[in-house]
Amino acid sequence: MNKRFAVLTVLAVMLTAALGFTASAQEAEAAVGTGTLTAEGDGSIRLRGSGQVALTGNGVLKIRDCGGDAVIEVTGEGLHVMRSIGDCVQHKYVGFNGSAVVSGQHIKVVARGTDLTLSATGNGAVLLKGIGTYAIGDKTGTWRERGVEVFLAE
């Protein structure tokens, strides 16, 4: 009987741990829209797709050109480091305090920091995590630590 109790206790602990892990690893909320996505807040913005992105903020900015055709204009402060990652060229700005406009096919833009503002048009997905607000078309919402993923199309 003690062996059964021990086995059942171990199974109960494993099940509780598994359920706790599943609940804490919930996916971000999702929204879909057409037109221009605007967002502002503190935290992180991750964009992948094609089109045009304009953003401002303070923190770290990474831009990956995986299509070879990106036009990148960055103004402000920050240490610029450029490197190749597979078929992509990555531009990283540490201590970023300024603005950037990026356009192209197969681009990835990641910004982490404070006072982030974003305007994006095109096709792709944007993950917003932290504290802030967003709008696309006639839809508005908030983003929190758990995150919201916005899918946009022209």
Side-chain angles (χ1 to χ4, degrees):
M1 181 112 173
N2 285 340
K3 284 185 179 182
R4 281 188 184 170
F5 181 75
V7 169
L8 289 175
T9 302
V10 169
L11 289 174
V13 168
M14 291 173 60
L15 181 59
T16 302
L19 290 175
F21 176 76
T22 302
S24 67
Q26 291 178 351
E27 294 183 16
E29 296 175 31
V32 178
T34 59
T36 299
L37 167 67
T38 58
E40 59 181 38
D42 299 333
S44 68
I45 296 172
R46 294 177 173 267
L47 175 140
R48 68 184 185 286
S50 62
Q52 182 167 346
V53 180
L55 63 89
T56 63
N58 303 297
V60 175
L61 172 65
K62 292 181 186 177
I63 302 165
R64 282 193 188 176
D65 175 10
C66 297
D69 67 342
V71 176
I72 302 168
E73 297 176 25
V74 177
T75 59
E77 301 171 2
L79 172 66
H80 178 218
V81 178
M82 187 172 82
R83 67 182 190 148
S84 293
I85 299 177
D87 293 335
C88 303
V89 176
Q90 176 176 280
H91 300 266
K92 182 177 181 179
Y93 300 86
V94 179
F96 175 70
N97 181 4
S99 63
V101 177
V102 182
S103 62
Q105 303 293 315
H106 306 291
I107 57 174
K108 297 177 184 178
V109 178
V110 176
R112 288 189 191 97
T114 59
D115 299 324
L116 300 173
T117 65
L118 169 77
S119 175
T121 57
N123 297 299
V126 180
L127 179 62
L128 306 166
K129 283 188 169 186
I131 300 172
T133 59
Y134 72 92
I136 184 165
D138 60 354
K139 299 173 188 168
T140 61
T142 58
W143 38 296
R144 296 183 175 81
E145 288 300 324
R146 186 172 138 186
V148 60
E149 188 164 20
V150 181
F151 297 94
L152 50 132
E154 291 183 294

